[in-house]
Amino acid sequence: MNRIRLNLEKRSSNSYDICIGTDLPDRMGLIMAKNNWASRYVIVTDDRVGALYGESMLGILRGLSLVVDRIDIPAGEKSKRIETCIGIAERLIDLGADRTSALIALGGGVVGDITGFVASMFMRGIPYIQMPTTLVAQIDSAIGGKTGIDLEGGKNLLGAFHQPKAVFIDLAFLKTLDDREFSNGLAEIVKYGLIEDPSLLDLLETEGQALRKRDPALLEKIVLRACQIKKGIVEIDDTEKGLRRVLNFGHTLGHAVEAASGYGLSHGEAVAIGMAASLRLSEKMGYLKSGDRERIDTLIESLGLPRRMPAALDPDDLLRRIGRDKKKTGDRVPFVLIRKPGMPFMNGGVPEAMLRDTMGELRG
Amino acid sequence: MNRIRLNLEKRSSNSYDICIGTDLPDRMGLIMAKNNWASRYVIVTDDRVGALYGESMLGILRGLSLVVDRIDIPAGEKSKRIETCIGIAERLIDLGADRTSALIALGGGVVGDITGFVASMFMRGIPYIQMPTTLVAQIDSAIGGKTGIDLEGGKNLLGAFHQPKAVFIDLAFLKTLDDREFSNGLAEIVKYGLIEDPSLLDLLETEGQALRKRDPALLEKIVLRACQIKKGIVEIDDTEKGLRRVLNFGHTLGHAVEAASGYGLSHGEAVAIGMAASLRLSEKMGYLKSGDRERIDTLIESLGLPRRMPAALDPDDLLRRIGRDKKKTGDRVPFVLIRKPGMPFMNGGVPEAMLRDTMGELRG
């Protein structure tokens, strides 16, 4: 047998800036022009965000002599399917896009995931920029290059790690966010508080009123801190093999609940339920104090998020879905638990009976 | 505006071995077991190769206590569509595959492209192994991590660069290859001769009889040399931004001809026509001697490959398809030409009228 070694040892740089502020489109346009990431751009957005901001974005970027087009997809999780990606790719071909083109994801997590995934595949990979418009996307999904779509069998089963060239977080978008979508973001901020920085929990508890009024200074503070946490975790573990898994706190069950509800529950609502369950499991296994668990339960409720599971959800169905979750490794289903706020750890596997009991207690 | 830098500078190693010999499945199984690439494997093959080799491969690998399943897809280029990938991904879910699973591509270029692309996407990326069964796949498509599928608008418009963990080239597969498929591979070997190593052309010219008998020693020599050329080019340019483009010699027009024929022409046949055209263009532009062009024309014919385009193909349609080829950059359509065998170069762009004339001369 002959053996030829193909050597591909290399240094790569996928570093990028996360810019946070207000009225960013002009700055973004200048940075795009300066960095010369692409010969032309295509904004991918959904029909809801597109109706609100699409024309003004096109106007601003074209005003800077950038070549920009726009593709709208239907709003909502149901768009996170391969058919949407194929539709975008075919439109890109029709628009004359090529390897020197780049995409701009203008929207929430669904738009970001789809746009990033299309960018990872189109002609085997083109650059893209994230311009997240929801709180969840701004502090979580737009950062770190995780992209993906859902299959019948579950969420995010197909995807790619494809880092954006930059993330532009315009806090002005948060003004027009509906309350439910805003609460979705708060669920992820609670998660950051629990897995990394308990001072975020204090802030959410003490600044309740400013939060409800969406006070710009408070939001800037929270978003900035959350982005720093996310970037730190991504830097250490950019393809989610180790530490980054703590980002799944509340998400193992959360994804199952979200899917089992037929996406009637939003991602943040499902994650809130998932976190409530993880806190109970952490308590039951003797890691977390009751007082800490109760404190976070109260906070979750005060943020307008659910803790209890819809009675219609079948525990067996949820268990089956967890078994199919993409985070499972071999035959074990790892679970992220916490010892106290700010101290998450990977548990070797929660006993199925305990999980079943916990789901029962949280029902209805 | 606040600015957070997300730092992702890293060293990565995607190096791998290309193993060339006969009766490799046993060796492959041992190497798989030793390297522990995955907790379980799924062979992806087509119904033709699967019928010939599927059971014996399963038997050998299972005999080494590896956990292995098998998925068959319909043979042929028409399988190179996203629907096939989704079907495989859903079967993987049903089989219980997860992030610790790996795929084995057992088949020709289509199987390799699809399997590699699914591996790049499944749960955001799992490992895969190439076990190419056709001459084209063994010397070209299985090496270098280029994967992809076709869209309505053209070939390989979606895909990923995803390197395999290893390539196992079993020369025994070449015994059962039909003549047309064998000639396809010879077209790519002519290409290597033209872009890198003219001694391959000498070999094809002088060893015609041994070649027709598929003499194992000759095939090993040719495959080994071709793999060395391919690996050298991939090492220098693993995402096809520069040098690797010379691998597209004959392919700019070849892809267009292949698609325009409704895939009635095989890839190798289309590439042979594309090379014949590129040789003529090189000659017309004053780079290539007539004698060299005539010599290669003769060789192409002696290998059972076509030089002339089916009269039914419309030059305007082909020009349009070339304009849409994924290798186009901005508004220019680069063309790989040669000065003499072994000396390719990127031309700034061939005049459309000259291309049209050349296509006219090669028709019918």
Side-chain angles (χ1 to χ4, degrees):
Chain A
M1 188 180 79
N2 306 279
R3 201 186 274 251
I4 301 172
R5 183 73 176 169
L6 196 154
N7 292 300
L8 288 176
E9 317 279 334
K10 60 174 185 169
R11 295 190 68 85
S12 60
S13 172
N14 291 313
S15 303
Y16 53 94
D17 284 334
I18 303 163
C19 302
I20 302 165
T22 46
D23 302 317
L24 284 189
D26 288 292
R27 295 286 286 276
M28 174 168 121
L30 291 170
I31 292 171
M32 285 163 62
K34 195 185 91 184
N35 280 284
N36 200 22
W37 285 310
S39 66
R40 58 186 297 168
Y41 293 87
V42 179
I43 296 172
V44 179
T45 188
D46 67 34
D47 43 24
R48 210 161 45 200
V49 175
L52 285 171
Y53 302 107
E55 278 309 301
S56 70
M57 280 291 298
L58 275 181
I60 289 168
L61 298 179
R62 286 176 175 165
L64 291 160
S65 300
L66 294 163
V67 182
V68 191
D69 286 296
R70 178 180 140 197
I71 297 174
D72 287 13
I73 61 171
E77 179 81 21
K78 65 189 178 308
S79 277
K80 234 178 111 170
R81 307 183 324 163
I82 196 69
E83 290 78 8
T84 313
C85 298
I86 300 298
I88 293 170
E90 284 171 345
R91 278 275 289 141
L92 288 173
I93 300 287
D94 289 342
L95 287 168
D98 64 20
R99 289 178 151 200
T100 69
S101 306
L103 306 185
I104 300 169
L106 175 68
V110 170
V111 166
D113 272 11
I114 291 172
T115 307
F117 190 35
V118 172
S120 81
M121 298 187 287
F122 189 71
M123 301 195 177
R124 298 199 184 96
I126 60 172
Y128 74 113
I129 290 166
Q130 287 276 18
M131 189 163 215
T133 59
T134 65
L135 185 54
V136 178
Q138 292 189 343
I139 60 161
D140 185 12
S141 53
I143 302 166
K146 268 175 75 174
T147 72
I149 56 158
D150 306 332
L151 291 183
E152 291 291 322
K155 279 174 64 81
N156 296 320
L157 289 176
L158 289 188
F161 286 98
H162 187 51
Q163 301 294 339
K165 285 291 172 194
V167 183
F168 293 96
I169 297 175
D170 195 327
L171 299 165
F173 288 125
L174 301 181
K175 280 185 240 162
T176 53
L177 215 55
D178 67 46
D179 286 339
R180 195 177 176 202
E181 190 50 66
F182 189 69
S183 293
N184 277 340
L186 297 180
E188 300 291 345
I189 293 171
V190 171
K191 185 188 78 175
Y192 287 133
L194 289 172
I195 64 170
E196 177 81 20
D197 183 357
S199 76
L200 274 171
L201 302 173
D202 302 339
L203 212 54
L204 293 176
E205 284 170 335
T206 57
E207 301 283 346
Q209 210 180 340
L211 197 63
R212 272 185 292 281
K213 290 195 312 196
R214 306 200 189 166
D215 175 72
L218 177 65
L219 289 179
E220 182 164 1
K221 196 168 168 181
I222 290 176
V223 169
L224 189 57
R225 184 68 196 112
C227 288
Q228 282 164 338
I229 294 172
K230 177 77 188 246
K231 89 113 191 177
I233 294 175
V234 171
E235 281 178 353
I236 292 170
D237 180 23
D238 69 325
T239 56
E240 198 164 311
K241 294 206 169 64
L243 173 64
R244 191 162 171 179
R245 288 193 190 156
V246 303
L247 287 171
N248 289 318
F249 181 75
H251 284 60
T252 305
L253 187 57
H255 280 160
V257 166
E258 188 181 3
S261 77
Y263 301 97
L265 284 171
S266 70
H267 181 68
E269 288 163 350
V271 166
I273 293 167
M275 289 194 293
S278 300
L279 291 169
R280 267 177 195 255
L281 290 166
S282 301
E283 181 188 2
K284 284 186 186 187
M285 297 195 76
Y287 299 116
L288 183 70
K289 284 189 220 154
S290 306
D292 281 337
R293 197 262 300 155
E294 285 159 12
R295 176 192 165 197
I296 308 302
D297 278 355
T298 304
L299 176 60
I300 288 174
E301 282 184 355
S302 79
L303 296 173
L305 288 163
R307 285 194 306 113
R308 307 194 75 81
M309 271 184 245
L313 299 191
D314 171 22
D316 285 321
D317 178 47
L318 293 173
L319 282 171
R320 192 180 52 74
R321 287 177 188 270
I322 288 172
R324 285 191 165 184
D325 188 282
K326 71 182 182 308
K327 272 98 192 177
K328 86 170 191 169
T329 302
D331 287 320
R332 289 163 50 219
V333 180
F335 227 92
V336 185
L337 300 177
I338 64 168
R339 290 180 203 280
K340 63 178 189 175
M343 284 187 60
F345 68 107
M346 292 294 294
N347 178 271
V350 169
E352 190 180 307
M354 187 184 283
L355 188 52
R356 195 183 290 272
D357 286 350
T358 303
M359 289 194 288
E361 291 159 24
L362 286 173
R363 264 178 109 180
Chain B
M1 189 179 80
N2 305 280
R3 203 186 274 250
I4 301 173
R5 184 71 175 171
L6 197 155
N7 292 299
L8 288 175
E9 318 279 334
K10 60 175 187 172
R11 295 191 69 85
S12 60
S13 171
N14 291 313
S15 302
Y16 53 94
D17 283 335
I18 303 163
C19 302
I20 301 165
T22 46
D23 303 318
L24 283 191
D26 288 293
R27 294 287 286 275
M28 174 167 120
L30 291 170
I31 292 171
M32 284 163 61
K34 197 185 89 183
N35 281 282
N36 199 24
W37 286 310
S39 65
R40 58 187 296 169
Y41 293 86
V42 179
I43 296 172
V44 179
T45 187
D46 67 35
D47 44 24
R48 208 160 48 201
V49 175
L52 286 170
Y53 303 107
E55 278 310 301
S56 70
M57 279 292 298
L58 274 181
I60 289 168
L61 297 180
R62 285 177 176 165
L64 291 162
S65 299
L66 294 164
V67 182
V68 190
D69 288 295
R70 176 180 142 198
I71 296 173
D72 287 15
I73 61 171
E77 178 81 22
K78 65 190 178 305
S79 278
K80 233 177 114 171
R81 306 184 325 162
I82 195 69
E83 290 78 7
T84 312
C85 299
I86 299 297
I88 293 170
E90 283 171 346
R91 279 276 288 142
L92 289 172
I93 299 286
D94 289 342
L95 288 169
D98 63 21
R99 289 179 150 201
T100 69
S101 306
L103 306 184
I104 299 170
L106 175 68
V110 171
V111 166
D113 272 11
I114 291 172
T115 306
F117 190 35
V118 172
S120 80
M121 295 187 288
F122 189 72
M123 300 197 178
R124 299 203 182 92
I126 60 173
Y128 75 114
I129 290 166
Q130 287 277 17
M131 187 160 217
T133 58
T134 65
L135 186 54
V136 179
Q138 292 189 342
I139 60 160
D140 184 12
S141 53
I143 301 165
K146 268 175 77 172
T147 72
I149 55 158
D150 305 333
L151 292 183
E152 290 292 322
K155 279 174 65 81
N156 297 320
L157 288 176
L158 289 189
F161 287 98
H162 187 51
Q163 300 293 339
K165 285 291 172 195
V167 183
F168 293 96
I169 297 175
D170 194 327
L171 299 165
F173 288 125
L174 300 181
K175 280 185 240 163
T176 52
L177 214 55
D178 68 44
D179 285 340
R180 195 177 177 203
E181 191 51 65
F182 189 70
S183 293
N184 277 338
L186 298 179
E188 300 290 345
I189 293 170
V190 171
K191 185 188 78 174
Y192 287 133
L194 290 172
I195 64 170
E196 176 81 21
D197 182 357
S199 76
L200 275 171
L201 302 173
D202 303 339
L203 212 54
L204 293 176
E205 283 169 337
T206 57
E207 301 284 346
Q209 210 179 339
L211 197 63
R212 272 185 292 280
K213 292 196 309 196
R214 304 198 189 170
D215 176 73
L218 177 65
L219 288 180
E220 182 164 0
K221 197 168 167 181
I222 289 177
V223 170
L224 190 57
R225 183 69 196 111
C227 288
Q228 282 163 337
I229 294 172
K230 178 77 189 246
K231 90 113 191 177
I233 294 175
V234 171
E235 281 179 351
I236 293 169
D237 179 23
D238 70 325
T239 55
E240 199 164 309
K241 293 206 170 63
L243 173 63
R244 192 163 170 179
R245 289 194 189 153
V246 302
L247 287 170
N248 290 318
F249 181 75
H251 282 61
T252 305
L253 187 56
H255 279 160
V257 166
E258 188 180 3
S261 77
Y263 301 97
L265 284 170
S266 70
H267 181 69
E269 289 163 349
V271 167
I273 293 167
M275 289 193 293
S278 299
L279 292 167
R280 268 176 196 254
L281 289 167
S282 302
E283 181 188 4
K284 284 186 185 188
M285 296 195 74
Y287 299 117
L288 184 70
K289 283 190 221 156
S290 306
D292 282 335
R293 196 261 301 157
E294 284 158 13
R295 176 193 165 197
I296 307 303
D297 278 353
T298 304
L299 176 60
I300 288 174
E301 280 184 358
S302 79
L303 297 172
L305 287 163
R307 286 194 307 112
R308 309 194 74 80
M309 271 184 246
L313 299 191
D314 170 22
D316 285 320
D317 178 47
L318 293 172
L319 283 171
R320 193 181 49 77
R321 288 177 188 272
I322 288 172
R324 283 193 167 184
D325 188 281
K326 71 182 182 307
K327 273 98 192 177
K328 87 173 191 166
T329 300
D331 287 318
R332 289 163 51 218
V333 181
F335 227 91
V336 185
L337 300 177
I338 64 169
R339 289 180 205 279
K340 64 177 188 175
M343 284 188 60
F345 68 108
M346 293 294 293
N347 177 271
V350 169
E352 190 180 306
M354 186 184 282
L355 187 52
R356 194 183 292 272
D357 285 352
T358 303
M359 290 193 287
E361 290 159 25
L362 286 173
R363 266 177 107 180

